Amino acid sequence: MTRQIRLLVNPSAGKGRALEILPDVAGALRDGGADLEILLSRDFAEAKSMAHQAIADGVDVLAVMGGDGMMHLGVNTSAAARAEGRSRTTLGLIPAGTGNDLCRGIGLPPKDAVAAAEVIAAGHSRSIDLARVAETYVAAVLATGFDALVNRRANQMPWPRGSTRYALAVMAELRVFSPLRYRLTLDGQIRELPAMLVAIGNTSSYGGGMLICPQADPYDGLLDVTIIHPVGRLKLLRLFPEMYSGNFVRDACVEQLRVRGATVEGAGLVGFGDGEMLGAAPLQVCSVPRALPVFVTE
């Protein structure tokens, strides 16, 4: 039986590169014998409506192509429908943005959209865990400290685009940053402490490959917690490049834990999940094991 694939594309992703590579992506999907329908979204609201309609129509595959925002939309639309028992659709992820951290975290090629489409065409799927914060699912990382403030600042900057904007936001935030006060409840155990950041990961990276939770496994039913205890601004700045290799965890200021659930409280704390603003603390997060089937390499 021919599989029905609905491909939802953010045409502006990757500074417009998504449209350039779309014919090759579509070809890879069709080579697998699929009945393919391509949808180009003009804005977030239209993309959300299209994703919901695909689920309602019962297509075999909803494939989303774009950056982290499109991945977050695909995950939340699909996972919510699964949780309510009204979906048989499997999610496909095709990276075409600048970050692509979810793809990286589940073993998909983060910079090769055609190779990711070939994974969907091959048809091997596996159910991944998700984190849930209130009614929102987070597939990669929940950021709540210095990293979240950098994310917020970067989102407010009209220029430049891509990873350069994030680097400039780091420098700007660092000039005014001081340790934040946290009240953490980790699997029922309460801790009150100052910290530079507390990140909670279902997968390993954010910010385009920064391995903030380098051992996170989206199949183990647990969330990885990384705490960076108070350090000077120059020390924090030196740690950031080491996040791309994961070597920063060797520093004495870094603590790592694994939990099934956590609550993050503290004045002035905000949460970003998968790069999207979730709101101010308190933030309750729990692991949802095997929440969503997605296409992965065998």
Side-chain angles (χ1 to χ4, degrees), residues 142-145 147-149 152 182 266 268-272 277-281 283:
L142 171 66
T144 70
D147 45 3
L149 297 176
R152 182 172 66 181
Y182 280 88
L269 298 179
V270 296
F272 277 77
M277 178 67 164
L278 300 185
L283 300 160

Side-chain angles (χ1 to χ4, degrees), residues 52 70-82 91 130-131 135-139 274 292:
H52 279 288
M70 184 64 85
M71 305 296 156
H72 186 71
L73 171 62
V75 164
N76 274 271
T77 304
S78 300
R82 283 271 170 179
L91 182 65
L130 297 174
E135 299 303 314
T136 301
Y137 291 94
V138 175
D274 299 341
L292 182 64

Side-chain angles (χ1 to χ4, degrees), residues 209-230:
M210 301 176 77
L211 297 171
I212 188 65
C213 298
Q215 301 302 316
D217 181 351
Y219 305 106
D220 65 1
L222 298 171
L223 301 170
D224 281 38
V225 181
T226 295
I227 302 172
I228 298 184
H229 293 279

Side-chain angles (χ1 to χ4, degrees), residues 12-297:
S12 64
K15 302 178 183 178
R17 184 171 177 271
L19 276 184
E20 295 176 12
I21 59 178
L22 180 56
D24 292 334
V25 167
L29 293 173
R30 290 193 174 105
D31 285 347
D35 178 7
L36 177 65
E37 181 180 358
I38 299 173
L39 304 173
L40 301 179
S41 61
R42 289 169 292 188
D43 53 36
F44 179 82
E46 184 176 46
K48 185 176 181 179
S49 176
M50 289 173 168
H52 279 288
Q53 190 61 54
I55 297 293
D57 290 345
V59 297
D60 300 299
V61 178
L62 169 62
V64 291
M65 179 177 172
D68 291 336
M70 184 64 85
M71 305 296 156
H72 186 71
L73 171 62
V75 164
N76 274 271
T77 304
S78 300
R82 283 271 170 179
E84 295 169 5
R86 55 181 177 83
S87 174
R88 63 178 184 85
T89 299
T90 302
L91 182 65
L93 304 173
I94 301 177
T98 55
N100 307 320
D101 285 294
L102 175 55
C103 292
R104 183 179 288 105
I106 63 173
L108 293 174
K111 299 296 184 182
D112 193 335
V114 175
E118 290 170 348
V119 169
I120 297 172
H124 178 72
S125 65
R126 187 176 179 185
S127 291
I128 63 169
D129 305 336
L130 297 174
R132 189 176 68 227
V133 182
E135 299 303 314
T136 301
Y137 291 94
V138 175
V141 178
L142 171 66
T144 70
F146 176 75
D147 45 3
L149 297 176
V150 167
N151 201 328
R152 182 172 66 181
R153 185 181 288 269
N155 287 349
Q156 294 169 348
M157 295 169 62
W159 181 92
R161 301 182 67 179
S163 58
T164 303
R165 179 171 60 180
Y166 191 84
L168 291 176
V170 167
M171 299 302 296
E173 193 64 40
L174 196 62
R175 290 186 295 123
V176 298
F177 184 77
S178 58
L180 301 164
R181 294 295 309 183
Y182 280 88
R183 177 183 170 91
L184 302 176
T185 306
L186 304 172
D187 282 347
Q189 300 297 311
I190 297 175
R191 294 179 60 182
E192 295 189 15
L193 70 159
M196 309 305 277
L197 65 84
V198 176
I200 302 174
N202 180 58
T203 60
S204 59
S205 72
Y206 61 12
M210 301 176 77
L211 297 171
I212 188 65
C213 298
Q215 301 302 316
D217 181 351
Y219 305 106
D220 65 1
L222 298 171
L223 301 170
D224 281 38
V225 181
T226 295
I227 302 172
I228 298 184
H229 293 279
V231 294
R233 293 173 183 172
L234 289 179
K235 176 69 170 290
L236 183 61
L237 185 60
R238 287 198 299 268
L239 287 177
F240 261 77
E242 295 184 359
M243 290 181 182
Y244 288 98
S245 65
N247 289 336
F248 79 102
V249 301
R250 300 174 183 173
D251 196 280
C253 72
V254 180
E255 180 181 2
Q256 293 187 290
L257 305 160
R258 282 200 172 110
V259 301
R260 296 188 183 280
T263 301
V264 178
E265 300 173 273
L269 298 179
V270 296
F272 277 77
D274 299 341
E276 302 295 319
M277 178 67 164
L278 300 185
L283 300 160
Q284 285 188 303
V285 55
C286 65
S287 176
V288 186
R290 298 178 297 279
L292 182 64
V294 299
F295 291 101
V296 295
T297 56

